Every structure is written in C-alpha cells, then in structure tokens.
C-alpha cells in the first residue's frame, strides 16, 4: 500500500506471491477497501498484482503497464494506516 503525497488518486495495494506455486485468487476479497478478484485471477510465483484507487492515475504516475493493474478498489486508504486483509472464498482472513 502506498500513499502518494502528490496524487491521492495514485494510491494502490500491491500483492506479491512469495510462494513457489501459482495462487488462484479468483473471488477472493480485500477487506478494508472493497474489491473482489475477478475469476481466473492467478498470481504466479515471485510476481505481483496491483489494485489501484485510480488505474489511469497510477499508470501515469509510475509508468506501470495496464496489464499489471488488475482492477480498481472502492473506498479509500487511510493515510494514518489501517489493516487490510485478504478473504479467501471460504472467508479465511489473511492479514497483509
């Protein structure tokens, strides 16, 4: 997660698979902001996915390829910090 002091709209959440196997995030949810991972969302080992407040603002601010941004979350991130969790399809919490 990152708070950009220049553009509030360029905030994002980055998820990295540090495991050795692909991880299927289909229909998992982010808790803390509103986002449900689309079907067939698989994150390969040692790669990352980005969920943006405003995907276009993030592309412009950091030169990210649109393909690395998988979607836009609803809600907002607190600049003072907060807890963001991944909820599996069985609603198991994985704290980030």
């Amino acid at each position: 997660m990152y708070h950009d002091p220049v553009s509030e709209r360029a905030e994002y959440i980055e998820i990295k698979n540090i495991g050795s196997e692909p991880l299927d995030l289909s229909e998992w949810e982010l808790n803390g902001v509103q986002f449900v991972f689309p079907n067939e969302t698989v994150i390969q080992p040692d790669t990352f996915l980005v969920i943006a407040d405003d995907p276009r603002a993030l592309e412009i601010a950091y030169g990210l390829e649109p393909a690395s941004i998988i979607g836009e979350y609803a809600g907002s991130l607190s600049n003072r910090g907060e807890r963001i969790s991944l909820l599996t399809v069985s609603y198991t919490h994985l704290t980030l």
Side-chain angles (χ1 to χ4, degrees):
M1 296 170 284
Y2 178 71
H3 165 66
D4 187 330
V6 176
S7 172
E8 292 282 328
R9 300 292 299 163
E11 292 184 330
Y12 62 90
I13 299 168
E14 180 180 271
I15 297 178
K16 183 174 182 178
N17 180 357
I18 61 171
S20 59
E21 299 292 325
L23 181 61
D24 185 354
L25 299 174
S26 298
E27 297 185 29
W28 288 30
E29 298 178 24
L30 282 176
N31 187 15
V33 296
Q34 292 84 45
F35 184 79
V36 177
F37 289 85
N39 283 329
E40 300 182 20
T41 300
V42 176
I43 183 169
Q44 297 299 321
D46 201 37
T47 61
F48 66 92
L49 298 175
V50 174
I51 301 97
D53 180 30
D54 179 339
R56 185 69 184 132
L58 190 60
E59 290 170 25
I60 292 168
Y62 298 104
L64 288 178
E65 294 294 322
S68 67
I69 303 170
I70 63 164
E72 182 174 347
Y73 61 80
S76 62
L77 296 172
S78 169
N79 294 335
R80 293 173 296 200
E82 67 208 291
R83 183 174 300 248
I84 302 289
S85 299
L86 270 173
L87 296 172
T88 66
V89 291
S90 62
Y91 295 101
T92 302
H93 283 264
L94 302 174
T95 302
L96 305 177

